Amino acid sequence: DQQVKQNSPSLSVQEGRISILNCDYTNSMFDYFLWYKKYPAEGPTFLISISSIKDKNEDGRFTVFLNKSAKHLSLHIVPSQPGDSAVYFCAARLFLGGADGLTFGKGTHLIIQP
Amino acid sequence: DAGITQSPRHKVTETGTPVTLRCHQTENHRYMYWYRQDPGHGLRLIHYSYGVKDTDKGEVSDGYSVSRSKTEDFLLTLESATSSQTSVYFCAMTGAGTGELFFGEGSRLTVL
């Protein structure tokens, strides 16, 4: 049973436009959500996070929105740049102190076209 | 400087042979994790450790064992490798339950 879902395996966006990556979750006990970015042959790197008590967090070109009632979060990238082409993973943490790690979605491959 | 390193980075082995992957961190972090990444599955947790000699199973632990005899080292062992264990393995670490994981560069394992 997949608790974190990214239903779009890939997304193609023109350079300069907005990229919107979506993520849904089923477990209401998740208290913290994160987005990771992964280039080929590299490990995932942390991008941005949001606590379950907030509905928005912004860091430069990246904004994450959380809708708790819908159990949905999204990552907005504005403007999209060629270097943003990567696989993006949505992840969630259970409210148990964090020892048991994160639950990840399957990822969305973002392709920024010139 | 990478605070977390994995070895080997690439390995090809045959079915039935034992394999050990090593993760080494220099940050003195308490929590360490082993994930595997497969197409169509994302990242799935194999085992994790919350201290020296303290480990627990994750979502896909069958066929794997781990050991942590020192804070800095977390070993993943496949006692008898199978083709279904062909994957990219990532080690990760975190501090005091902040939620943010720091990943190594990955170890690509091919089981023939």
Side-chain angles (χ1 to χ4, degrees), chain A:
Chain A
D1 184 26
Q2 199 179 354
Q3 297 189 67
V4 178
K5 301 177 184 179
Q6 294 178 257
N7 292 320
S8 298
S10 66
L11 175 67
S12 183
V13 175
Q14 200 165 12
E15 181 180 355
R17 307 293 288 267
I18 183 171
S19 295
I20 300 176
L21 292 86
N22 294 303
C23 178
D24 296 294
Y25 62 95
T26 58
N27 194 333
S28 57
M29 294 300 291
F30 287 138
D31 74 326
Y32 200 69
F33 302 90
L34 306 91
W35 285 94
Y36 279 80
K37 178 179 180 179
K38 186 185 179 305
Y39 292 121
E42 294 184 9
T45 55
F46 170 73
L47 189 59
I48 192 169
S49 62
I50 187 167
S51 166
S52 61
I53 62 174
K54 296 187 176 182
D55 56 16
K56 178 182 175 181
N57 188 27
E58 192 172 351
D59 184 2
R61 297 186 297 115
F62 303 92
T63 303
V64 56
F65 296 92
L66 175 62
N67 182 335
K68 281 187 68 177
S69 61
K71 293 190 175 68
H72 176 84
L73 64 155
S74 60
L75 173 68
H76 292 214
I77 306 173
V78 182
S80 299
Q81 298 175 353
D84 296 330
S85 293
V87 177
Y88 289 79
F89 290 101
C90 173
R93 184 187 77 174
L94 275 175
F95 184 61
L96 290 173
D100 54 343
L102 302 175
T103 301
F104 285 84
K106 293 182 178 182
T108 296
H109 185 194
L110 176 64
I111 302 163
I112 304 302
Q113 297 189 337

Side-chain angles (χ1 to χ4, degrees), chain B residues 26-107:
Chain B
T26 58
E27 307 298 320
N28 202 36
H29 281 327
R30 178 181 176 186
Y31 303 101
M32 297 184 74
Y33 308 84
W34 277 106
Y35 284 86
R36 61 178 287 177
Q37 185 196 6
D38 303 288
H41 290 279
L43 291 156
R44 293 180 293 174
L45 182 64
I46 305 171
H47 279 281
Y48 64 96
S49 170
Y50 45 96
V52 173
K53 297 184 178 172
D54 290 324
T55 64
D56 208 344
K57 296 178 179 180
E59 177 189 358
V60 290
S61 60
D62 286 349
Y64 301 95
S65 63
V66 290
S67 65
R68 192 160 177 210
S69 59
K70 298 184 291 184
T71 298
E72 56 266 35
D73 290 325
F74 192 32
L75 304 181
L76 176 70
T77 297
L78 292 66
E79 300 291 346
S80 177
T82 67
S83 58
S84 66
Q85 293 175 312
T86 292
S87 186
V88 181
Y89 292 86
F90 289 99
C91 178
M93 63 179 179
T94 191
T98 60
E100 179 184 338
L101 298 185
F102 300 92
F103 283 86
E105 294 186 323
S107 295

